[in-house]
Amino acid sequence: MANESLNNSTPQVQIKFLTKQEQYAVPDFPLSVHTSIVTSELNTLVNELLKESTNIKNDIEFDFLVCSQFLRTSLSEHIAEKNISTEEVIIVEYVEKYPPPEPQDCLLHDDWVSAVDVYEKWILTGCYDNTLHIWTSKGKHHLVIPGHTSPIKAVAWISLTSDTASFVSASQDQTAIIWDWNIMENSVDCIHVCRGHERGLEAVSINYDKTIMATGSWDTMLKIWSTANQDENEDGESSSKRLKSEHGKTRVPKRTMKGHKEAISGVVWSDKTEIITSSWDHTIKIWDSELGGIKHELAGNKSFFDLDYSPLTRTVITASADRHIRLYDPRSTEGTLVKAIFTSHTQWVQSVRWSPVDETLFISGAYDNEMKLWDTRSPKAPLFDLSGHEDKVLCCNWSNPKFMVSGGADNTVRIFKSKHIVR
């Protein structure tokens, strides 16, 4: 039997294997193993059981969950930390190990890349030399777009069809610009210049139906704008005629919301009317965009530099000045609001993004030149370090499930291809 050769001199514990991936199910009878067993030995054991009980002949790499957390130490250390009795049968859940993302292209820019967003096969980047760029996910450069007068800090796609697209860029020049891109002609028009902030913009987010957007700025204000090509009160003058006369019509905010005491560093829509913001003032605030007020506030102990919201789990991850990534459940009423702390970066974390399809996965980019892929069930160690940048990582994006993308102070965008596993 698979466990006969295990060392008998160390204390034994009873375990039972369990998986939600039915193709890898093994008989669920209890097994005696030594408490110092580690992941590699559990892998051997499960693979032996699989070969005995199924048609699977090749070894498969698994990760093991005990008490909802990945085993990263010996079983004895893990169960001691979790206060699990060694008298009980310990349930060991196993899942196929996430495959390492593969490095793809490196997109060379002339200056720091501080903003990136991906929509299907298109990558939009914003730089410290005030320019925007459009690339394909295969690394082909399509367009460089001047227009801003200061570094670009955030970009977001608004809409995309086979012929046309629209997107927004937010800059330290105190404006956000809404652009129209004619894909067939590969030309862009500046449609609206959104003016109203009194200091540089740091963040922009488009709502779920793409009709409005929110911006956050160093002036501490959160502002709501329409993304529509035509203004609601316009007299139907054609956009091309307007462009010739004004190079984009000035758009004013629909609403301005006050509440933060320092710069707003991150903005994300969490439902049709709700916005969550992070700030240098050590707080996260949840806003009602229709009523214009703060619904809820979470206090941190360091400046927040970014945040992202997962509609899959309705939780928030934050990047901050103390190297740690925190997972918050903003709706939690019991216990601490911080549900997990993820520690591996050696310098401050600048950017975080959830996977759009897997509720446990997210990426982070930091000043230690690393992008990391995390699983919420492994707070002490990332799944993978996605190395390549030679200077600090300033932004990352995972809007397209197939590509993890990061931009940095080494003037490059790095693309990693992710292989999604059906869990």
Side-chain angles (χ1 to χ4, degrees):
M1 185 51 218
N3 62 334
E4 268 172 20
S5 60
L6 298 177
N7 184 348
N8 292 323
S9 62
T10 52
Q12 301 272 307
V13 66
Q14 294 247 300
I15 66 167
K16 193 188 276 191
F17 284 122
L18 174 83
T19 185
K20 293 179 182 134
Q21 295 172 303
E22 287 176 14
Q23 70 273 32
Y24 301 135
V26 298
D28 65 351
F29 47 76
L31 297 164
S32 284
V33 298
H34 58 85
T35 54
S36 57
I37 197 166
V38 291
T39 300
S40 58
E41 295 167 295
L42 286 167
N43 243 317
T44 304
L45 198 48
V46 169
N47 275 293
E48 282 185 32
L49 290 167
L50 271 175
K51 283 168 191 164
E52 285 174 15
S53 60
T54 70
N55 296 323
I56 295 171
K57 297 294 170 246
N58 296 330
D59 278 4
I60 292 156
E61 260 204 283
F62 293 104
D63 254 326
F64 297 88
L65 290 147
V66 178
C67 272
S68 317
Q69 215 169 83
F70 280 139
L71 192 63
R72 293 289 182 253
T73 56
S74 68
L75 185 59
S76 56
E77 286 175 71
H78 190 91
I79 59 180
E81 191 183 304
K82 297 284 179 196
N83 292 324
I84 305 167
S85 162
T86 52
E87 304 299 311
E88 297 171 22
V89 176
I90 294 163
I91 302 296
V92 178
E93 185 186 343
Y94 56 102
V95 295
E96 189 178 353
K97 196 172 166 64
Y98 195 85
E102 294 171 5
Q104 302 286 298
D105 292 284
C106 172
L107 314 182
L108 300 175
H109 294 67
D110 293 333
D111 208 336
W112 289 13
V113 183
S114 42
V116 61
D117 192 23
V118 185
Y119 200 150
E120 293 178 8
K121 70 171 183 175
W122 299 109
I123 298 173
L124 176 65
T125 59
C127 293
Y128 261 69
D129 64 3
N130 317 342
T131 62
L132 292 157
H133 299 260
I134 298 174
W135 309 74
T136 69
S137 56
K138 291 193 162 66
K140 183 175 186 294
H141 188 253
H142 263 255
L143 201 58
V144 56
I145 306 160
H148 282 289
T149 56
S150 292
I152 292 157
K153 296 306 296 288
V155 293
W157 291 98
I158 299 169
S159 65
L160 176 68
T161 68
S162 56
D163 305 326
T164 61
S166 62
F167 51 87
V168 61
S169 52
S171 165
Q172 286 181 349
D173 65 13
Q174 304 181 13
T175 71
I177 297 179
I178 297 173
W179 306 84
D180 253 9
W181 176 33
N182 183 319
I183 298 173
M184 295 303 159
E185 295 175 11
N186 199 26
S187 63
V188 294
D189 285 333
C190 163
I191 300 294
H192 292 288
V193 181
C194 301
R195 298 183 194 277
H197 283 294
E198 290 171 14
R199 293 186 65 189
L201 279 69
E202 275 291 301
V204 64
S205 179
I206 314 294
N207 76 335
Y208 286 82
D209 62 8
K210 314 292 188 191
T211 55
I212 48 176
M213 65 184 191
T215 54
S217 160
W218 280 91
D219 65 10
T220 75
M221 299 300 171
L222 176 66
K223 291 181 185 280
I224 309 291
W225 318 74
S226 167
T227 61
N229 270 2
Q230 297 286 330
D231 273 327
E232 286 83 351
N233 55 1
E234 265 171 35
D235 54 11
E237 181 186 21
S238 78
S239 57
S240 58
K241 185 175 169 190
R242 190 174 70 242
L243 274 169
K244 290 188 180 91
S245 59
E246 299 179 44
H247 182 64
K249 188 176 174 66
T250 293
R251 173 162 283 175
V252 294
K254 290 164 79 80
R255 186 184 286 282
T256 296
M257 296 189 275
K258 302 176 184 178
H260 281 295
K261 294 182 174 65
E262 291 187 51
I264 294 175
S265 55
V267 176
V268 63
W269 291 83
S270 49
D271 68 22
K272 287 191 179 76
T273 59
E274 191 178 86
I275 302 167
I276 308 179
T277 56
S278 61
S279 168
W280 282 63
D281 67 10
H282 303 190
T283 68
I284 297 162
K285 295 189 195 298
I286 301 173
W287 308 75
D288 186 314
S289 65
E290 289 191 338
L291 297 176
I294 297 168
K295 292 162 70 169
H296 194 37
E297 180 178 305
L298 309 175
N301 53 2
K302 284 281 189 285
S303 291
F304 290 109
F305 298 144
D306 194 20
L307 86 166
D308 198 25
Y309 173 83
S310 170
L312 302 175
T313 56
R314 303 180 75 187
T315 52
V316 170
I317 41 171
T318 61
S320 62
D322 61 3
R323 306 182 292 111
H324 304 300
I325 299 156
R326 288 175 176 80
L327 172 71
Y328 291 87
D329 180 352
R331 291 165 185 80
S332 175
T333 50
E334 78 283 342
T336 172
L337 293 165
V338 180
K339 297 303 178 187
I341 299 174
F342 303 88
T343 307
S344 172
H345 283 295
T346 56
Q347 296 191 41
W348 77 20
V349 186
Q350 185 62 32
S351 184
V352 284
R353 289 293 179 271
W354 283 107
S355 160
V357 292
D358 192 316
E359 62 183 30
T360 64
L361 298 179
F362 66 90
I363 53 173
S364 60
Y367 275 31
D368 58 10
N369 308 355
E370 295 284 346
M371 179 163 69
K372 293 176 188 275
L373 170 61
W374 296 87
D375 191 301
T376 53
R377 299 165 296 183
S378 176
K380 292 195 173 122
L383 296 186
F384 298 102
D385 289 345
L386 308 179
S387 303
H389 283 289
E390 291 163 14
D391 204 336
K392 49 188 178 278
V393 179
L394 301 174
C395 55
C396 64
N397 183 270
W398 201 356
S399 302
N400 180 330
K402 294 179 190 161
F403 301 108
M404 303 165 188
V405 181
S406 57
D410 58 358
N411 304 356
T412 71
V413 163
R414 307 269 166 173
I415 304 171
F416 286 82
K417 196 166 192 329
S418 63
K419 301 183 190 125
H420 177 57
I421 294 182
V422 180
R423 303 254 182 178

